[in-house]
Amino acid sequence: ALHEVADILCSEDLLDLPKNKFICSSNPNNANANKDANKNTDISLLRVFRYDALSTEKEQYSNLGSSSHTDWGSMTVVWQDSKGGLQIYCHKHQCWNDVKVDERNMSQSDSKSETKSESNFNSSGETQIVRLFIHVGDYLSLAMNSVSVLALNGNEIGKENGEKDGSGCREEDANANVHHQNVIWPSPTHRVLCPLRIDDKTCGTGAGTSTSNHADNSRCSLVYFVYPPNGIKMIDSISSLHGKDTDHYQGNSKFTMQGTMVDVGHSKQQFPFSRYMLLNNQSVASTNTCSEKEDTNIIIDPDKAALGTFNKILHRPFHEVIEEKWNQVQRS
């Protein structure tokens, strides 16, 4: 059902994304479905999360249910109960904002006194209203913004833009007044706070002791990570957005840092590649998102390092990239 929701969003009636480039079509009659069984295999993933309640607000921030991150795929479909806790980061104002929850997602454990007229079901008990939170992931954001970046700069993938050093940025621009662009299809940075434990006194019983069933205090969510079909490469998806075959772009095509900068007044606006977890090393061994040269006193611009990763995965089957990402975040 969650996959169908994502598929409808990607359809020509809404986002109008090229078929089977960002999500595996749920239409069994798709003309391409039988051409290559492996290539059209759906690798999207449904995960169930439970976040146990904590005693104090201080613990909420020192023991995050999920630390700050972006999602790697095309989009993410989230169902969360009425406990809330999901927060989105606003880069412009540098603050966290709560994602509003809908009381109609309330479970029996949230409120045992819920009346039938307030429930999720109609009078016949046949229909349930479910509120979902859906956001763009790194893969779709990078592909969609690649089109806008190219259009703004009037260039095409693979042009070097007169670079002098091959590092993705001219030497004389190294200290330029550079700011991050506003991303038109952002993959939001988000995190999850665990709920606060509710005791009997808070609930008005007067007992003053913690509830015996901690499951009633926990936060639960269903998260569906939508990935492009097995075998699809980022360059395939970008090419489809340009209305061109992948062969139009040569195998060494790449984006350049200079090519992704836009002049705004007296400053330059740079695409914020480093915000994307897809382009960062999330393994324990990685101490930060910056790449270091042999001289440990020289740290490469994190956006430039992330752009380098982007160019590396551009021509790789994305399912291989996803497999590496899941290996990075495995914790023993």
Side-chain angles (χ1 to χ4, degrees):
L2 296 182
H3 183 92
E4 186 176 358
V5 169
D7 199 26
I8 292 172
L9 279 175
C10 294
S11 69
E12 60 184 10
D13 295 326
L14 294 173
L15 299 182
D16 194 20
L17 296 176
K19 286 187 177 180
N20 285 314
K21 297 301 182 183
F22 296 94
I23 179 175
C24 191
S25 175
S26 57
N27 181 3
N29 298 319
N30 188 312
N32 296 320
N34 297 319
K35 286 185 178 180
D36 187 335
N38 290 328
K39 188 171 184 178
N40 289 280
T41 301
D42 187 13
I43 61 171
S44 299
L45 177 68
L46 175 65
R47 300 190 72 187
V48 181
F49 291 92
R50 170 178 152 173
Y51 304 89
D52 289 333
L54 301 174
S55 300
T56 65
E57 288 188 10
K58 183 177 180 180
E59 283 186 294
Q60 278 187 304
Y61 293 96
S62 61
N63 297 284
L64 293 171
S66 180
S67 59
S68 173
H69 67 283
T70 60
D71 291 344
W72 311 318
S74 297
M75 64 176 60
T76 304
V77 183
V78 181
W79 175 89
Q80 59 175 339
D81 62 20
S82 63
K83 295 292 196 306
L86 179 60
Q87 295 185 321
I88 300 295
Y89 187 73
C90 175
H91 292 279
K92 181 177 181 179
H93 297 99
Q94 299 184 3
C95 64
W96 289 97
N97 298 298
D98 294 324
V99 174
K100 184 180 179 181
V101 296
D102 196 299
E103 294 301 322
R104 282 170 286 192
N105 282 356
M106 188 178 293
S107 65
Q108 288 185 351
S109 63
D110 292 323
S111 177
K112 295 182 173 60
S113 62
E114 182 183 19
T115 64
K116 182 153 189 167
S117 61
E118 296 170 332
S119 71
N120 293 338
F121 299 90
N122 63 15
S123 57
S124 63
E126 296 176 350
T127 303
Q128 184 175 19
I129 299 174
V130 176
R131 297 292 188 266
L132 302 172
F133 177 71
I134 304 170
H135 65 79
V136 169
D138 292 353
Y139 186 92
L140 179 56
S141 178
L142 288 165
M144 293 300 297
N145 280 286
S146 72
V147 175
S148 66
V149 166
L150 293 173
L152 284 170
N153 287 278
N155 59 30
E156 192 169 316
I157 302 175
K159 287 190 176 180
E160 294 297 320
N161 297 294
E163 291 177 358
K164 295 184 177 181
D165 64 358
S167 64
C169 186
R170 294 178 180 176
E171 292 179 2
E172 61 265 34
D173 291 335
N175 297 318
N177 186 16
V178 175
H179 302 281
H180 278 153
Q181 297 174 20
N182 290 323
V183 180
I184 59 171
W185 282 68
S187 176
T189 301
H190 55 284
R191 68 182 184 184
V192 177
L193 299 183
C194 293
L196 284 174
R197 185 171 296 126
I198 302 173
D199 59 32
D200 292 337
K201 185 175 182 179
T202 304
C203 294
T205 63
T209 58
S210 298
T211 53
S212 58
N213 188 358
H214 285 177
D216 288 349
N217 284 217
S218 63
R219 175 191 188 272
C220 294
S221 64
L222 297 176
V223 182
Y224 187 63
F225 299 100
V226 179
Y227 298 138
N230 188 53
I232 292 295
K233 305 170 185 176
M234 178 79 75
I235 192 66
D236 297 332
S237 301
I238 292 175
S239 300
S240 68
L241 292 171
H242 283 279
K244 301 180 183 295
D245 294 330
T246 304
D247 293 342
H248 176 79
Y249 301 109
Q250 300 301 317
N252 61 350
S253 298
K254 66 178 182 178
F255 287 90
T256 60
M257 186 63 75
Q258 188 65 22
T260 60
M261 286 190 183
V262 181
D263 289 320
V264 179
H266 297 291
S267 67
K268 290 183 179 294
Q269 291 194 349
Q270 177 173 297
F271 190 78
F273 289 99
S274 59
R275 291 179 186 171
Y276 292 81
M277 291 298 103
L278 178 64
L279 307 180
N280 284 275
N281 187 346
Q282 294 176 269
S283 62
V284 175
S286 178
T287 56
N288 54 52
T289 59
C290 300
S291 296
E292 296 187 4
K293 294 183 178 180
E294 292 182 2
D295 183 349
T296 56
N297 293 320
I298 302 176
I299 300 180
I300 299 176
D301 175 5
D303 285 312
K304 189 186 298 183
L307 173 59
T309 301
F310 176 66
N311 281 319
K312 289 178 181 178
I313 70 173
L314 196 58
H315 297 274
R316 291 186 61 195
F318 194 66
H319 68 270
E320 295 180 0
V321 178
I322 286 298
E323 184 178 359
E324 288 183 2
K325 293 302 296 181
W326 281 116
N327 287 334
Q328 285 180 12
V329 298
Q330 292 302 312
R331 302 291 186 262
S332 58

